[in-house]
């Protein structure tokens, strides 16, 4: 638990209660965290604890996870990205009604973040977006279509590589079996072993006792969104805020090639490659906290020089060696 944290309940228009936590001075800039799958807001505790003295930090459990309740209606509609945007707007009105927030998303939290950072409804509500381990579904689908159209050897290798990494997306479409696995062996020790193997670390695995429920309910994120967006990707999803892309170098699920076309969708983009696995908020919280701080402060003062395409984030002890690189691309 974050020292000095304050708990809130936000009720959405379809009756879901979102469990929100905040810490720090509400008069300071707000940094808002969105968790991914199969996580809950507890994922962000190591980072929020490091930033709460500098910023107002906020996170909530996505519907159906952690301390939040589940939607009562059809699950597919209840977990659509459009519905999740309504949740975010409700929480934003309750916890940060007076100014734009700096959004940070991981995994499905980053997928949601792309939805919000490209949504006309949230223009003025966001100040920046830091994306970690989760692409915009529309961008990803258009990336794949571009490579299928060109069919060069490099393009086909990139497609095959990402397809192999994304095998679980197809598996999650199966009825009942994924839920049974999560409520059975995965939630009772197997996931912790898998997590440590994937991350190549002895850092403790998933932090939440609600893992079985979180993972089973979260399957509907995939079922409600991935096929729909891959079949009809929207070509107008251009970010309306500066974006920081953090790419974990050893991510077993996402290839760095998936972001090759991101210049089209981000008029202001900063890239970082980090020596880490997928769950960067748990395994490298200090490094990630430093990246967020540097980016948020640079956006606040308008210091976003056009210098460099990619910046490799050094270990925390080396962060002071040089100014972080930003790149301003041409418009989409």
């Amino acid at each position: 638990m974050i020292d000095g944290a304050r708990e809130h309940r936000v009720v959405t228009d379809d009756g879901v209660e979102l469990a929100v936590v905040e810490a720090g001075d509400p008069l300071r800039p707000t940094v808002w965290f969105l968790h991914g799958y199969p996580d809950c807001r507890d994922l962000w505790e190591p980072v929020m604890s490091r930033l709460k003295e500098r910023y107002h930090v906020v996170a909530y459990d996505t519907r159906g996870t952690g301390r939040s309740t589940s939607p009562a209606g059809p699950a597919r509609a209840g977990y659509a990205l459009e519905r999740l945007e309504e949740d975010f707007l409700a929480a934003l009105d309750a916890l940060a009604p007076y100014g734009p927030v700096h959004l940070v998303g991981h995994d499905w939290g980053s997928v949601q973040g792309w939805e919000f950072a490209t949504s006309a409804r949230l223009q003025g509500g966001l100040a920046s977006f830091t994306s970690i381990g989760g692409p915009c579904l529309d961008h990803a689908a258009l990336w794949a279509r571009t490579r299928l159209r060109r069919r060069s050897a490099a393009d086909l290798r990139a497609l095959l590589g990402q397809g192999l990494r994304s095998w679980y997306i197809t598996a999650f479409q199966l009825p009942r079996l994924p839920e049974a696995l999560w409520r059975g062996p995965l939630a009772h020790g197997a996931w912790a072993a898998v997590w440590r193997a994937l991350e190549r670390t002895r850092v403790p695995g998933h932090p939440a006792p609600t893992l079985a429920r979180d993972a089973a309910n979260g399957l509907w994120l995939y079922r409600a969104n991935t096929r729909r967006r891959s079949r009809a990707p929207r070509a107008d999803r251009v970010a309306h805020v500066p974006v920081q892309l953090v790419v974990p170098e050893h991510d077993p699920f996402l290839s760095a090639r998936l972001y090759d076309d991101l210049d089209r969708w981000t008029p202001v983009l900063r890239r970082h490659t980090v020596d880490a696995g997928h769950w960067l908020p748990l395994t490298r919280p200090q490094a990630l906290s430093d990246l967020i701080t540097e980016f948020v402060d640079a956006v606040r003062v308008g210091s976003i020089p056009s210098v460099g395409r990619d910046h490799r984030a050094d270990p925390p002890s080396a962060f002071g060696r040089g100014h972080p690189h930003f790149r301003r691309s041409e418009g989409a």
Side-chain angles (χ1 to χ4, degrees):
M1 185 66 180
I2 304 167
D3 289 341
R6 303 176 293 278
E7 297 278 346
H8 304 273
R9 306 292 291 186
V10 174
V11 181
T12 67
D13 59 4
D14 67 342
V16 170
E17 292 187 14
L18 300 175
V20 188
V21 63
E22 66 168 337
D25 185 349
L27 297 180
R28 294 183 179 273
T30 297
V31 180
W32 197 294
F33 297 89
L34 297 172
H35 70 82
Y37 180 89
D39 307 310
C40 67
R41 75 183 198 202
D42 294 355
L43 172 89
W44 287 114
E45 284 189 6
V47 176
M48 294 174 69
S49 294
R50 286 168 167 81
L51 296 180
K52 66 183 179 67
E53 300 300 328
R54 189 181 186 95
Y55 306 111
H56 174 225
V57 293
V58 184
Y60 63 86
D61 290 316
T62 303
R63 53 176 50 213
T65 69
R67 304 156 189 82
S68 293
T69 63
S70 302
R76 193 173 297 275
Y79 287 90
L81 282 167
E82 294 85 352
R83 180 64 261 176
L84 299 177
E85 183 174 327
E86 297 293 338
D87 291 356
F88 180 63
L89 287 165
L92 203 61
D93 285 346
L95 274 297
Y98 302 117
V101 305
H102 298 271
L103 191 62
V104 181
H106 174 259
D107 192 86
W108 266 94
S110 179
V111 174
Q112 291 181 68
W114 280 110
E115 188 78 4
F116 307 159
T118 59
S119 169
R121 296 180 67 195
L122 276 155
Q123 281 191 292
L126 303 183
S128 71
F129 172 44
T130 294
S131 166
I132 311 155
C136 173
L137 297 185
D138 300 285
H139 298 170
L142 292 167
W143 174 89
R145 290 184 177 203
T146 297
R147 275 137 195 86
L148 280 172
R149 184 175 65 251
R150 296 193 309 214
R151 292 181 178 273
S152 71
D155 288 330
L156 293 177
R157 282 196 300 271
L159 273 172
L160 177 61
Q162 183 55 55
L164 292 173
R165 291 169 184 253
S166 301
W167 62 269
Y168 61 94
I169 295 178
T170 300
F172 285 172
Q173 307 296 326
L174 296 172
R176 293 185 291 277
L177 178 60
E179 284 91 338
L181 290 173
W182 275 116
R183 292 186 172 120
L186 286 173
H188 294 88
W191 174 245
V194 171
W195 190 91
R196 287 193 295 269
L198 289 173
E199 294 298 292
R200 305 174 189 177
T201 182
R202 293 186 178 182
V203 173
H206 194 286
T210 55
L211 172 62
R213 173 177 178 264
D214 299 346
N217 287 338
L219 291 167
W220 287 101
L221 295 169
Y222 295 90
R223 295 166 180 168
N225 298 292
T226 54
R227 286 183 176 176
R228 180 167 60 102
R229 290 296 167 84
S230 66
R231 289 169 178 165
R234 300 165 298 176
D236 61 346
R237 307 310 286 185
V238 178
H240 50 70
V241 293
V243 175
Q244 174 173 228
L245 176 69
V246 180
V247 182
E249 192 169 17
H250 309 294
D251 194 325
F253 309 115
L254 298 169
S255 166
R257 291 293 309 275
L258 193 58
Y259 303 106
D260 283 353
D261 299 341
L262 203 53
D263 294 11
R264 295 175 57 190
W265 317 110
T266 50
V268 181
L269 176 66
R270 175 196 194 189
R271 298 176 188 252
H272 272 289
T273 299
V274 183
D275 182 13
H278 183 73
W279 276 273
L280 188 58
L282 288 175
T283 61
R284 296 288 301 279
Q286 187 59 57
L288 185 54
S289 298
D290 290 342
L291 290 175
I292 293 169
T293 298
E294 291 165 358
F295 184 57
V296 168
D297 288 354
V299 169
R300 290 180 61 213
V301 301
S303 175
I304 310 181
S306 178
V307 288
R309 175 178 177 80
D310 194 359
H311 177 70
R312 178 172 295 278
D314 296 314
S317 60
F319 271 118
R321 293 177 185 169
H323 190 78
H325 293 312
F326 292 78
R327 178 181 50 73
R328 185 182 299 274
S329 72
E330 299 300 323

